[in-house]
Structure formats: C-alpha cells, structure tokens
Amino acid sequence: MNTEFLRQMPSSRSFAGSGNGLLWRLHLDSPLLAALLVLCGAGLLVLYSAGDGNPDLVVRQAIRLGGGFMALLILAQVPPRTYRFWAPAVYAGGLFLLVLVLFIGTEAKGAQRWLTVPGVGSFQPAEIMKLAVPAMVAWYFSERSLPARFRDVLLVLLITLVPVLLIARQPDLGTSLLVAAAGLLVLFVAGLSWRLILAALSLLAIAAPLMYFFVLHPYQRRRVDTFFNPEADPLGAGWNIIQSKTAIGSGGISGKGWLNGTQSRLDFLPESSTDFILAVLAEEGGLIGVLMLLGLYLAVIGRGLFISWQAQETFSRLLASSLALTFFIYVFVNIGMVSGLLPVVGVPLPLISYGGTSIVTLLAGFGILMSIHTHRKLMSHH
Amino acid sequence: MTFRDHHNEGRIFSTRLLWSAVIVLALMGVLAGRMFWLQAIQHDRYTTLSDKNRVQTQAIAPPRGLIYDRRGELLADNQPDFSLALIVEQVPNINDTLALVAEKVALEEADIERFWRRVRSPRRPWEPVPLRARLTEEEIARVAVIQHELPGVRIDANPIRHYPYDELFSHVLGYVNRINAEDLERMTPDEQANYSGTHFYGRLGVERHYERLLHGRVGFRKVETNARGRILEVLEQIPPLPGEDVHLHLDIRVQQAAWDALGERRGAVVAMDPRDGGILAFVSRPGFDPNLFVTGISHRNYSEYRDDLDRPLFNRALQGQYPPGSTLKPIAGLAGLDAGVTDWQRTMWDPGYYRLEGQTRVFRDWRRQGHGWVDMHKSIVESCDTYFYDMGFKLGIDRMHDFMVRFGLGDRTGIDLPGESRGIMPSRAWKRAVRGEPWFHGDTINASIGQGYMLTSPLQLAVSTAVFARRGEPVVPRVAQLHPPASPIEPALTPDSRHWDRMTAAMVDVVHGARGTARAMGQGAKYRIAAKTGTAQVFSLGKDEEYNAEEIAERLRDHALIVGFAPADNPAIAVAVLVENGGSGGSSAGPVARQVMDAWLLNRAGELEIPPVAVPGAVPALMADNR
C-alpha cells in the first residue's frame, strides 16, 4: 500500500483542474461533460429531423437524457471503492433478474427482454449487466496480480459468458455482444497474453460457422445472409442496408442540409430515429457531419482512456478502460452496420439514437468514470 | 496477501492502454474511410439511387375520343366508374380482407380469380390491384363505413367507356375492354409506351379500327413519392393528348328504323349513301350489350351469349355468308346484255324448268308452273329463273365472274371495320384450287341465279347495289367521316347507259309494278324505289321434294333478301336486307328496306327531303397508316 501511495503522488496534481472548482467539487470532469453535452445536443437535432420534425420525439428524448445526466451526477458522487465493494452483489442480483426474465419477462417483438414492476414500469435487466459485468471482472482482478493467468482467464470467461448467454437467449444479440465486450475488454487491458488472444480469435473463426448453424435464431441468420448479399432480397431483409447506404452515399461531402434528407423524410430509410439514425446524419450532414461526429466520439473515448490511465488502483483502471472501450464498441458496431461493413445487429448509435434504456446506462457509466477521476485527488491526500 | 509488483502491473496496463488507443484510432480510421468511400467516391451512384427512389414517372392515360353519329348524337362516351382495388403491400392478410370485402360487395368467383392472377403477374409494388368494377352507390357506402378496418382497400373513380344505346350499335361500334399481354406483344415498343397507364383497348368495329385515333397520346408526370408510393409532390408534367373524336356517317334515325323493322327476327341491314359511300345504317340482330364487356364480362353473361342459338355475338352484316339469290339478277342481266348474249327484245318460253340439251338433269324455276313467255324485263320483275339459266349458260362463268367482281362481290369491300369476310365469287380457277374439280355447266347455271357456290355478305350486297346505283362507278363504304374519297376498287364499268336505264326501270317495277315481287314495300311511297328480291336457300331440296315451309323447322326455312335504292332517278340510299329464315324476300325483307329508306329520305313531317352528302372532315395525319 505504501509503495502505491508514493508512486501516485507526483502525477496527481497536474490534472486536478484547479480552475473549475465547482464542477470538480460536484465530482464532474469538465472535458468529458462538455463532449457529452455537445454530442447529446447534436443528437437531438438529428433526431428532430429523423422524426420528421415531430417535437414529441425530441422532448421525450430530452427528458430521458435529463434522467441520464441525473444518474451521471449521482453516480459521480459515489467513490470507486464503494463500487468495488458492491460489484459482486450487483452482479449476482443482475444474474437473478436475468433468470427471472426467462420466466416472467414481458414479451415484445418476439423477444422476452423486459421485467415489469407493477406501478414502476418495465426495464431491461440486461442493461444492468453492461455495468455489472466489467465491475465484477475488475473486482476479480483487484485482488490478484497482473498479468492475467490462464486460471484467471477461465474464471473471467465464466463471469462474462453466463450473463451473455442468458441475454442472447432472450434473444438480444446486440446487448449480449456489448456485455461480452465489456467483460473481455477488461481481460485485454489486464494483460491477457497475445498468444491466448490469437488462439481465441482463431477459435472464433472456427466457431463462427457453427454458431451460425446451431446458436443463431433464424432472424439473426437472415441478417448475416443479408449482410453478405443485400441485393438478394432487395425488398425484404436487404432493404434496410440498401436504403441506408443510399442515404449515406447520396449525402456526399457536405450533405443535403438539415431536414432535407429525402431518404428519411420520404420513409425509405427504416428505423431512421433509432438504430439507423447515423444514415440521417450522414445524408443531411454529409462527410463533414460524420467526421465531426467521429471526432466527438474520439474525444469522449480518448478522455475515458486518459482517465483510466490516470487511475490509481487496479479496479478503477480496469473498470474505467472497459467503460471507455465498450463505448467505442457501440460506436464501431453501429456505424459499421449502418454503412454496410458489419451485419445488422441491434446496437444503437450511443447518445444519438432515440429511446432505450441504453442512454441512461451509458450516462451512468460516464458518471462512474467521472467518479474514478474526481475521487483520485481525495485519495492522493490520504 | 501476495506480493504485487505494482510497477510491472502499471507498465502492463499502460502498454495495453496504448494498444487500445492504437486499435481505436485504426478502427475509427476504417469507419472514416468507409464513409469517405460511400460519400465521396460513390456519391454519384447513390445520388442516382436516391433520386430513383423518390422520383417516379407515372403515365397519364389520355381520355378516349368520343364517337358521334352524323347528327351529333353521342354513341360512345366516357363515364366515371367506381372500382374497388387493393394495395396488396398494405393489406395485412389478403384472404381475411377479401372475406370482409365480400360481405359488403358482391364478388363473383371470376373477380377473385382475376384478382389473384393480377397479384401473381409481374407488377410494380404499391400499385393498386383492381378487384371489382362498377360498384353501386350502396356498395360504395357499405365499404366506406368499414374503411378503417380495411387497410390497403381503396375505391377509385376512373373514366370508362359507356355505350348509351346498348345493343343498337353493338356490331358496328364494337367495344373496348381490358388490354392484355397479347395486345401489347403485337405492338411496336413505341406503341407499347403509348399504352402505359391505359387499361382499355378497342375490340371489333369502329373501336378497333380507329383504336389509334381514339386512344390519343399518353401523358407523363414525374412525382415524388414516399416508400409507400404515396405522391407527395408533382415535379413535372406532360399532359396527355386526348383521343380524337370520331364522327360517323351512321344516322341514328336510320339505324333505329332498321333495328326496329327487323324486330325480333334474326337478320342484317346495311344502308349506305351511294353518293359518298357513307354507311347510314349497319345492323345485325340480335345484338349484345357492349357495356357488359368494358370492365370484363362475367362468365355467366358470356356463356349466355355464346350458347344462344341466335348467335348474338356474330356480326351477320359483316361476316355473314349467304348466297345472294335472285338479288343478283340485275347485275347478271347487265353482264349478259354487255356481252351481247341477250337483249331487251329477246323472249323465251318458260315451262317451269330448264334442261340442258342432251342432259337429264332439270333446273327448276321457283314457280313450278313457269312464267310462260318471258323477256329480260319480266324476268327481273317476276324473278324468273329459267330466263337467267339460259342466259347464264350462254354467257359462261368466265365472263360472268369478270363482270360481277367489278361490283365488289366476292371480295372485301375495304370498309373501315375489322374482320370483314371475303365471300365467294366462283370461277374455274377458284373451283380447281378449292374443290380440286373442273367447272361444270350446271355450276354456271346455278351461279346465274346467285346460288351454288356463290356467297356474299349483306355488306357486299349493299355495296354492289350502290355501285349499281352509281351506274358502275366503284365506291368504298365508309363508317367514319374521316377518310379521303376512297380509291376505286375496280375501274368503272362503261356499258351502254340505256341498259342501266332499262334495268333500273325493271327494278322499279319490282316494287311499283302490278306483278312485282316486292309490291308490299311500295305502298304509299313518296318516291320511286328500285329493288330486287331474293331467296337464299339454307339447304338444297332433294330432286322431287316439294318445298313446304310449314313442314320444315323454322330454322331451315329460306333466308329472305332484298336489295334496292331510292329515289330511283337520283339515288341517295342503297339498302341490303337479310332476314334469316324469313321466307319470301318481298314480304319480309321488303318492308324493312322501305322503313330504312323512309327514315333517311323523309323529314319529320313525312315529306321527301334528301339529306345533303356529308362533307368529310379534315383528314388527320394519324389516319394515313391506319387503313
């Protein structure tokens, strides 16, 4: 403990942010908060266009964002060690709720994902796992020395894959993918040997076709088929991706202008306010708009990685880096799928897409990141 | 607690963070590159796709030209029709919807069959598929009440063809009905393009012959539509060129008179103005209701027409093939006079039969006891067969044939109606080619009274009568007042004009003379009529059989014929009448011809008032290749 304390002393003051005392006292990180606010504001503008100028959608989204920022503010106050203390319990509770969903979950669109609490409303237990799984894995490593050993790998895989499989069964491919990424990314930054990573990747290459035939639901299989040949079914499953690429491509360098995107305004673009909202932005804002968005995302991710680099103990480091990198996975999978690089999986464009509990979860995650950053200074005064 | 190498752990973690940053940057670069590819490199391609998405070119069918008679009476117009159609892409469950619709609207099996056929055939998505036409107001109301339960069901108002006189003009106007794949296949690509957006195509009659003129030129509009095909904005529009109106020579009063005069009998009447070839009446009874065909005739209605023994769908005037019988005698007589095998002075004894020297076969006269001493005039007035047997034998088939074809017999008249039959004017060459037999004298003798192999349509009889009235100058019959004066079918005949005068005088005596066979039609006429009766045998009598109308079934009785023109000294109308199984031409066909002539020649006060010749309208450019 002493050595750790000494090692962290010198760097602690340089980024303390002495200039913004109020935000710091509220445990908020001003660069990250600024990037998030700009991102969410831009998101509301795009949503207004995607929703065909319907203010209802924007108002409801703004309310949800408000709730998210409240969660961010509250979670930022909680010190990281409290998170570490509660991680196993939250994880276990989350697992219990996932099992409960299988039995008494509410069904919608052929998937059983929601738990309805009388008088409160319905929520997705899977969302909890987006935070609980990386926290649990980080907790696991906080008691052990790095790099991760083979035995650790097996245990971490167990911690991660149990909830992932439960979520995949609902079925919700997008969320299970993100939860798996959250857990496995901790393993990566915890120093999992490159040999094992390469072995896992080759195993995945072999398993993928098997997964395709034995694990995937027919609708998921169709998405994969469509990905490899969208023109085979231009009016059915391929329609989404063809229309989305058409929207993006027709936007050009400078775009058609805000509220002028014909693809979404004339309803050719499906799910234009949710998963495919990027196509609206790309059509109306052009390449310039897309690059600005990518820049904002990069700023958020970069700040997250910086926070984890500055973090002083293993739990905080691992959790912070996992949250930042999972956010990147969101961005990459969504934009990759909308632009036809990846198969269509239900992953929203973070902080821009309409709806879902994912916005609250994402902002809650940034609250934890800010807590990790802002409580560092207090710790250094120990 | 195990010993932990914090320095090493920090190094490992930092290295991995660095790797993460590198991978994140690299993958972000991939995304940016993908976007650059789509938005900068492939921009043009996707712009085209995007425009193709939203901009649709729609055809606008031109309104079909109207058809008028010579008095300006509307014979075919366009009326709004309410039809029910389904936008299949919007219908959640087609079978459920069909069942719901069937509760409110009468659906025949044929409607549903046709609907499914259209659904399965290649078509543009989001385009309404018609299910039933001609909704009644009550049906429209019943559907409107449950409209909200029927997504994708719509009621459209479209102009459709309407024939206000139902059967009266059916065989001459024809009708329109739905255009089909075969129709389109027969067209050039340009014509096909001109029919995009059009649902109807002319069948039979004027509707078919003047299809291109009546149809007009298709228009286009470019519209912006949403993904559901709803039109949001019209970007550009080229209006259609409406079809030309067609004015006919037909006169509704003459047509109606011919129709009424035939009554319930089966038959045909063709009346034309010999001065310009204009068809004044064109009747074939029974007729059919062309309105039934426009939106697709029901199976039940169609089989009723098809199975009717009276064959209402058969155009007797245009396609009927009947032996001309004695109506041919004036022309045959002229042929004999022209060739010099007889003259007006020559007389012969008619014992009631004719026998060729050295042969046993006897050719009977229709009057068993014979006509006694006969000459040409009397043979026309009383329709003596024996005189013509003898004259025809002397004339020979070659001269007879060559003379008669100049009257337009045995060939198409060139009328502006589709599907005209040729008829037969027999010759040696014809018999060898068709029958593979040589020509016999008996054939000539039969031909000289218009029997045997000879077949003509009522239209041909009317035309040959008009040519007679024009003293041998050929004429092409015209239904529509559109064509330039027709080119002659054969060079004009130039026989001695005295022959025409005397033959006409004989024909006048057929009507007005004391012993004429058509005395019945001349009663109280305000003008002189020249006519000739005829009888077309339905079957040949056995050698010594007696003809007894009572004993044979009505349908085997002879067809009655009459041809004639009036006024005799200044012909303004030529008529041919056929009454199927009508028996004697004078008593059954004659009065029909008289009423047709009256309708044309007398004004409303019942006084003689010969209408002027129609002035053909300007000839539109389209007509040149429509003949």
Side-chain angles (χ1 to χ4, degrees):
Chain A
M1 278 310 209
N2 273 345
T3 46
E4 186 184 36
F5 174 67
L6 285 172
R7 194 185 69 80
Q8 284 161 352
M9 271 300 283
S11 64
S12 57
R13 276 204 189 87
S14 50
F15 285 93
S18 50
N20 39 22
L22 176 67
L23 286 176
W24 190 257
R25 250 175 284 134
L26 283 171
H27 296 287
L28 296 177
D29 177 54
S30 44
L32 186 53
L33 187 67
L36 290 176
L37 286 173
V38 173
L39 205 50
C40 293
L44 289 179
L45 283 181
V46 182
L47 188 62
Y48 181 74
S49 176
D52 222 358
N54 182 0
D56 289 5
L57 218 61
V58 178
V59 169
R60 263 179 283 160
Q61 178 84 340
I63 290 170
R64 198 172 284 121
L65 282 170
F69 277 104
M70 284 298 284
L72 180 148
L73 185 65
I74 293 164
L75 290 174
Q77 313 311 312
V78 181
R81 58 171 184 277
T82 311
Y83 289 120
R84 188 173 62 184
F85 178 80
W86 284 103
V90 172
Y91 174 80
L95 268 189
F96 173 73
L97 290 177
L98 278 181
V99 175
L100 210 59
V101 164
L102 286 184
F103 293 104
I104 60 160
T106 315
E107 227 172 294
K109 292 182 196 167
Q112 207 165 352
R113 297 175 187 173
W114 287 268
L115 268 186
T116 306
V117 181
V120 178
S122 56
F123 71 103
Q124 269 188 77
E127 287 296 328
I128 300 175
M129 289 321 242
K130 285 183 184 168
L131 299 176
V133 165
M136 179 70 190
V137 178
W139 171 86
Y140 174 84
F141 279 119
S142 67
E143 300 297 323
R144 284 160 186 80
S145 61
L146 301 184
R149 276 167 295 235
F150 189 68
R151 194 174 57 113
D152 302 330
V153 173
L154 289 182
L155 268 162
V156 168
L157 280 181
L158 189 72
I159 291 169
T160 306
L161 288 183
V162 169
V164 164
L165 289 177
L166 283 172
I167 296 166
R169 270 211 56 160
Q170 290 178 352
D172 186 348
L173 197 63
T175 307
S176 65
L177 195 82
L178 291 169
V179 171
L184 298 176
L185 284 169
V186 180
L187 211 52
F188 175 73
V189 287
L192 177 66
S193 81
W194 287 106
R195 275 216 333 262
L196 275 175
I197 293 172
L198 283 177
L201 285 179
S202 12
L203 201 68
L204 196 71
I206 297 164
L210 296 174
M211 287 268 292
Y212 175 83
F213 287 112
F214 298 113
V215 179
L216 290 192
H217 277 251
Y219 88 91
Q220 293 164 336
R221 215 173 295 160
R222 214 163 37 243
R223 283 178 177 181
V224 178
D225 296 343
T226 309
F227 167 66
F228 285 109
N229 187 12
E231 274 77 19
D233 185 11
L235 289 178
W239 169 270
N240 289 15
I241 201 64
I242 291 172
Q243 296 302 338
S244 156
K245 275 157 73 178
T246 303
I248 296 170
S250 66
I253 304 288
S254 54
K256 295 177 184 172
W258 188 54
L259 299 179
N260 282 331
T262 55
Q263 284 288 108
S264 73
R265 189 167 57 79
L266 303 177
D267 293 337
F268 286 99
L269 189 65
E271 296 179 58
S272 61
S273 54
T274 55
D275 287 0
F276 281 84
I277 197 166
L278 178 87
V280 178
L281 181 133
E283 185 181 20
E284 299 185 348
L287 185 61
I288 295 170
V290 172
L291 291 180
M292 280 165 62
L293 179 81
L294 291 181
L296 276 171
Y297 279 137
L298 214 49
V300 169
I301 297 159
R303 185 66 186 172
L305 291 178
F306 176 77
I307 286 172
S308 60
W309 181 64
Q310 287 232 313
Q312 292 137 337
E313 32 76 43
T314 305
F315 175 80
S316 298
R317 281 171 174 172
L318 296 183
L319 181 56
S321 54
S322 168
L323 291 175
L325 291 173
T326 308
F327 183 77
F328 166 71
I329 299 282
Y330 260 105
V331 174
F332 184 75
V333 170
N334 178 274
I335 298 182
M337 123 191 147
V338 172
S339 64
L341 278 181
L342 297 173
V344 174
V345 272
V347 171
L349 186 63
L351 303 181
I352 310 281
S353 282
Y354 173 76
T357 35
S358 82
I359 284 196
V360 179
T361 318
L362 277 166
L363 289 174
F366 286 113
I368 295 171
L369 263 177
M370 289 187 188
S371 148
I372 288 169
H373 196 50
T374 53
H375 287 85
R376 179 181 46 104
K377 191 179 168 189
L378 300 177
M379 282 175 70
S380 67
H381 284 300
H382 241 277
Chain B
M1 188 184 268
T2 54
F3 172 78
R4 299 180 65 172
D5 182 350
H6 287 287
H7 182 69
N8 188 37
E9 282 188 22
R11 199 178 50 78
I12 289 170
F13 179 68
S14 299
T15 318
R16 284 300 161 95
L17 271 189
L18 200 65
W19 272 111
S20 303
V22 168
I23 293 170
V24 164
L25 276 174
L27 290 180
M28 279 293 200
V30 169
L31 290 185
R34 174 68 175 173
M35 288 299 175
F36 183 78
W37 166 256
L38 290 176
Q39 298 193 290
I41 314 254
Q42 301 247 285
H43 174 59
D44 289 346
R45 182 186 153 210
Y46 286 114
T47 299
T48 311
L49 277 177
S50 162
D51 285 344
K52 218 162 75 187
N53 253 350
R54 68 186 183 94
V55 179
Q56 267 187 26
T57 303
Q58 295 186 330
I60 315 169
R64 196 172 175 86
L66 308 180
I67 303 177
Y68 297 93
D69 87 332
R70 73 191 303 132
R71 291 171 188 272
E73 203 72 41
L74 251 183
L75 305 185
D77 65 345
N78 303 315
Q79 288 195 343
D81 170 68
F82 293 91
S83 63
L84 192 140
L86 266 61
I87 299 170
V88 174
E89 281 75 7
Q90 278 180 357
V91 178
N93 182 323
I94 295 182
N95 283 319
D96 289 357
T97 301
L98 286 181
L100 257 175
V101 169
E103 285 173 22
K104 306 292 168 192
V105 163
L107 285 183
E108 292 202 26
E109 213 158 287
D111 295 325
I112 294 171
E113 246 172 59
R114 200 167 27 226
F115 170 79
W116 280 114
R117 212 167 39 242
R118 285 186 190 138
V119 169
R120 292 192 193 102
S121 63
R123 64 190 175 82
R124 201 191 269 264
W126 302 100
E127 209 173 50
V129 182
L131 175 61
R132 236 229 38 208
R134 292 177 188 258
L135 296 174
T136 63
E137 276 180 36
E138 204 190 323
E139 286 175 321
I140 295 168
R142 280 204 298 254
V143 172
V145 167
I146 58 157
Q147 185 77 68
H148 61 280
E149 292 173 48
L150 297 168
V153 174
R154 43 184 270 181
I155 291 172
D156 296 323
N158 295 307
I160 63 158
R161 203 54 150 180
H162 175 68
Y163 302 99
Y165 293 98
D166 296 346
E167 307 183 293
L168 181 56
F169 291 92
S170 53
H171 283 292
V172 59
L173 289 186
Y175 55 86
V176 299
N177 68 4
R178 299 228 177 252
I179 193 163
N180 58 41
E182 291 104 81
D183 299 329
L184 290 168
E185 255 168 46
R186 276 195 300 270
M187 294 180 186
T188 64
D190 266 3
E191 283 176 314
Q192 284 177 6
N194 197 30
Y195 274 91
S196 46
T198 301
H199 298 298
F200 296 108
Y201 195 66
R203 313 276 171 206
L204 309 175
V206 172
E207 292 277 27
R208 177 53 177 268
H209 189 86
Y210 291 105
E211 170 60 31
R212 288 182 59 183
L213 194 67
L214 288 162
H215 177 256
R217 194 99 204 127
V218 71
F220 288 100
R221 71 177 151 211
K222 282 189 169 173
V223 294
E224 187 178 78
T225 62
N226 65 10
R228 270 164 278 294
R230 222 180 75 203
I231 297 168
L232 303 176
E233 203 183 328
V234 177
L235 304 173
E236 195 187 327
Q237 185 156 343
I238 302 165
L241 194 68
E244 299 264 356
D245 293 344
V246 171
H247 293 263
L248 304 182
H249 284 289
L250 285 172
D251 183 311
I252 188 164
R253 269 169 51 188
V254 184
Q255 179 85 0
Q256 188 76 57
W259 181 266
D260 293 344
L262 271 178
E264 292 306 305
R265 296 173 291 181
R266 281 162 282 116
V269 178
V270 178
M272 62 189 281
D273 188 331
R275 295 169 298 175
D276 61 2
I279 295 285
L280 302 171
F282 197 99
V283 167
S284 174
R285 275 198 91 162
F288 55 88
D289 183 357
N291 292 306
L292 291 179
F293 288 84
V294 174
T295 49
I297 190 166
S298 71
H299 194 70
R300 190 169 49 82
N301 281 337
Y302 185 72
S303 39
E304 249 171 52
Y305 280 144
R306 188 195 51 205
D307 300 337
D308 191 333
L309 275 179
D310 290 344
R311 299 208 288 161
L313 297 177
F314 179 55
N315 190 339
R316 292 168 161 80
L318 190 69
Q319 299 179 314
Q321 305 256 298
Y322 308 91
S326 302
T327 61
L328 194 75
K329 281 174 182 163
I331 295 171
L334 280 183
L337 291 163
D338 187 50
V341 299
T342 187
D343 57 43
W344 290 97
Q345 283 72 45
R346 185 175 161 271
T347 55
M348 68 175 284
W349 179 258
D350 168 21
Y353 61 88
Y354 178 74
R355 188 197 308 241
L356 276 176
E357 264 173 66
Q359 286 195 10
T360 48
R361 175 154 182 210
V362 161
F363 296 89
R364 290 180 183 280
D365 195 285
W366 65 271
R367 187 188 279 173
R368 211 171 150 65
Q369 66 274 29
H371 295 270
W373 286 102
V374 289
D375 61 1
M376 175 72 84
H377 187 91
K378 188 180 174 187
S379 298
I380 294 286
V381 175
E382 296 185 17
S383 202
C384 169
D385 291 339
T386 308
Y387 184 90
F388 281 91
Y389 289 148
D390 178 58
M391 188 206 77
F393 173 66
K394 287 174 178 152
L395 180 63
I397 188 60
D398 301 328
R399 286 188 285 185
M400 195 191 294
H401 171 269
D402 292 352
F403 193 87
M404 285 179 177
V405 291
R406 297 203 183 186
F407 285 79
L409 293 165
D411 199 359
R412 296 195 180 93
T413 63
I415 193 173
D416 46 350
L417 292 175
E420 188 187 355
S421 68
R422 285 188 77 106
I424 297 168
M425 181 51 61
S427 65
R428 285 179 206 279
W430 170 85
K431 195 178 178 193
R432 184 157 301 283
V434 176
R435 297 269 164 141
E437 286 171 21
W439 188 263
F440 300 121
H441 287 314
D443 297 333
T444 310
I445 287 162
N446 274 329
S448 58
I449 61 156
Q451 301 283 357
Y453 302 119
M454 206 177 286
L455 289 175
T456 54
S457 65
L459 170 65
Q460 283 174 357
L461 289 180
V463 171
S464 65
T465 306
V467 173
F468 188 97
R470 289 162 68 96
R471 305 228 156 176
E473 201 188 318
V475 63
V476 176
R478 283 287 147 222
V479 174
Q481 301 182 25
L482 281 168
H483 282 271
S487 53
I489 33 171
E490 291 281 335
L493 292 162
T494 51
D496 193 332
S497 74
R498 276 187 323 116
H499 294 327
W500 294 103
D501 294 339
R502 296 198 62 164
M503 192 58 81
T504 305
M507 288 170 75
V508 168
D509 275 353
V510 169
V511 179
H512 302 287
R515 308 202 49 167
T517 51
R519 286 190 307 278
M521 77 181 282
Q523 302 293 313
K526 294 242 167 84
Y527 48 88
R528 305 287 272 179
I529 301 167
K532 181 68 198 81
T533 57
T535 302
Q537 279 174 10
V538 172
F539 71 110
S540 303
L541 291 174
K543 219 176 195 173
D544 291 305
E545 271 176 305
E546 292 275 334
Y547 178 98
N548 187 336
E550 258 84 17
E551 280 178 18
I552 9 180
E554 194 264 331
R555 276 177 204 282
L556 296 176
R557 211 184 294 163
D558 287 347
H559 299 323
L561 292 165
I562 195 163
V563 300
F565 58 90
D569 53 351
N570 179 26
I573 183 170
V575 184
V577 176
L578 160 88
V579 180
E580 278 191 9
N581 313 118
S584 134
S587 56
S588 64
V592 176
R594 166 70 187 279
Q595 284 176 51
V596 170
M597 289 170 173
D598 279 357
W600 177 241
L601 298 174
L602 304 183
N603 61 19
R604 292 214 178 267
E607 293 154 355
L608 182 66
E609 189 182 298
I610 296 171
V613 174
V615 181
V619 181
L622 261 174
M623 288 315 303
D625 50 355
N626 204 9
R627 292 188 48 191

